[in-house]
Amino acid sequence: MTTEGTDTNSTHADPATIRRILRETGNTWAVVGLSGNRSRAAYGVAEVLRRFGKRVVPVHPKAESVHGEQGYASLADIPFPVDVVDVFVNSELAGAVADEAVAVGAKAVWFQLGVVDPDAFGRTRAAGLDMVMDRCPAIEIPRLDRVV
């Protein structure tokens, strides 16, 4: 998928939206692509989110527990509300995850670094959810207290 013609620095990663999602949107984050594999970026990012006070729910086909939290095979399998869906899948698969986040009633969607799908961004925003694309919360959290 090409990102030519899009400006993910401003349009898809608005500092006010980043701040709102991290500070105000809620504390239950479903991390799609999170497994027990410690060498994967999702594992480390989940640790940072937990230290920041977020409940991190793993979503992965294996549905394994990670960081002491029960895992689920899909967002639809989670039996409680999710505030933010953090997406660690390829851009080609991310749009379907964003659509599922809308369907389960999430408040926001966060596409990780390198995950870009402008069409999914548009659909998600049109559904009323906040969204950030091509950013990492583990990088953004330390920036929260800086003047933007």
Side-chain angles (χ1 to χ4, degrees), residues 67-130:
H67 297 301
E69 187 74 44
Q70 169 64 49
Y72 298 91
S74 72
L75 291 173
D77 292 338
I78 301 173
F80 47 83
V82 169
D83 299 310
V84 181
V85 175
D86 189 4
V87 182
F88 276 94
V89 300
N90 294 330
S91 296
E92 294 77 22
L93 304 174
V97 176
D99 295 340
E100 190 176 358
V102 170
V104 301
K107 299 173 188 169
V109 175
W110 190 298
F111 280 8
Q112 283 292 328
L113 288 172
V115 181
V116 177
D117 183 336
D119 293 335
F121 183 90
R123 290 192 310 272
T124 303
R125 295 290 298 131
L129 282 69
D130 275 334

Side-chain angles (χ1 to χ4, degrees), residues 6-18:
T6 64
D7 182 358
T8 58
N9 288 329
S10 61
T11 307
H12 300 128
D14 172 62
T17 303
I18 290 170

Side-chain angles (χ1 to χ4, degrees), residues 24-37:
E24 303 167 18
T25 300
N27 289 327
T28 302
W29 284 53
V31 180
V32 178
L34 175 58
S35 71
N37 185 343

